[in-house]
């Protein structure tokens, strides 16, 4: 019967609670390995406070932006503004933000093969980050 706990985990007439689910998983999976490395990470993400969760998501986003901005800046003339190479870190940071958030205004653009490759990777990382953040956010709600 779906939703029912095994006899060893009888809930004594009360609603099916989380403790019953934990017991049911242990009973039903006896002899099998049930732990997965991501299990602890997901459980931790679901049990931390909302403030910590949002702060961690914001900090990871900013750190990834900073990493790609530094790589673009170290390229030298990897960022072009209005067709002219620029070596300002603020331009590299802005291009990184526009790429990762998929805005792409068009005023800044990659100026070398390395910078083009980096922006491709960064846009993919941005999409994956957004997907993971959305999934974790949805599972918390």
């Amino acid at each position: 019967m779906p939703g029912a706990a095994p006899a060893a985990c009888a809930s004594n007439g009360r609603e099916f609670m989380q403790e019953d689910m934990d017991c049911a998983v242990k009973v039903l999976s006896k002899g099998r390995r049930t732990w997965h490395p991501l299990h602890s990470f997901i459980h931790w993400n679901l049990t931390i406070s909302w403030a910590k969760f949002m702060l961690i998501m914001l900090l990871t986003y900013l750190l990834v932006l900073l990493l790609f901005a530094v790589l673009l800046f170290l390229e030298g003339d990897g960022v072009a503004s209005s067709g002219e190479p620029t070596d300002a870190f603020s331009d590299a940071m802005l291009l990184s933000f526009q790429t990762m958030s998929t805005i792409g205004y068009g005023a800044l653009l990659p100026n070398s093969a390395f910078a083009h490759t980096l922006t491709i990777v960064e846009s993919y990382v941005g999409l994956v980050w957004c997907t993971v953040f959305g999934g974790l956010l949805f599972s918390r709600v």
Side-chain angles (χ1 to χ4, degrees):
M1 173 176 176
C9 303
S11 58
N12 298 328
R14 55 190 170 95
E15 282 186 40
F16 193 63
M17 305 295 269
Q18 183 63 40
E19 304 88 50
D20 298 325
M21 180 60 85
D22 293 341
C23 179
V25 168
K26 288 177 187 169
V27 169
L28 294 174
S29 63
K30 213 175 227 177
R32 285 185 253 149
R33 180 177 173 218
T34 59
W35 182 84
H36 190 274
L38 283 177
H39 175 73
S40 300
F41 172 74
I42 293 170
H43 182 266
W44 176 77
N45 259 306
L46 294 175
T47 56
I48 62 174
S49 70
W50 275 101
K52 281 184 184 177
F53 175 75
M54 295 305 279
L55 182 65
I56 289 169
M57 291 295 115
L58 177 66
L59 288 177
T60 56
Y61 187 78
L62 292 175
L63 284 173
V64 171
L65 276 177
L66 187 63
L67 170 74
F68 280 103
V70 166
L71 290 173
L72 282 168
F73 180 70
L74 291 176
E75 171 64 13
D77 59 348
V79 179
S81 175
S82 302
E84 296 296 319
T86 178
D87 60 353
F89 181 75
S90 60
D91 287 340
M93 189 69 179
L94 191 56
L95 176 63
S96 180
F97 174 75
Q98 290 175 4
T99 302
M100 193 158 164
S101 62
T102 67
I103 293 173
Y105 290 119
L108 295 171
L109 41 109
N111 196 37
S112 67
F114 176 74
H116 278 282
T117 304
L118 201 58
T119 55
I120 290 169
V121 171
E122 185 177 13
S123 63
Y124 178 75
V125 168
L127 290 172
V128 168
W129 184 91
C130 191
T131 303
V132 169
F133 174 68
L136 289 172
L137 187 66
F138 180 74
S139 66
R140 290 182 61 92
V141 173

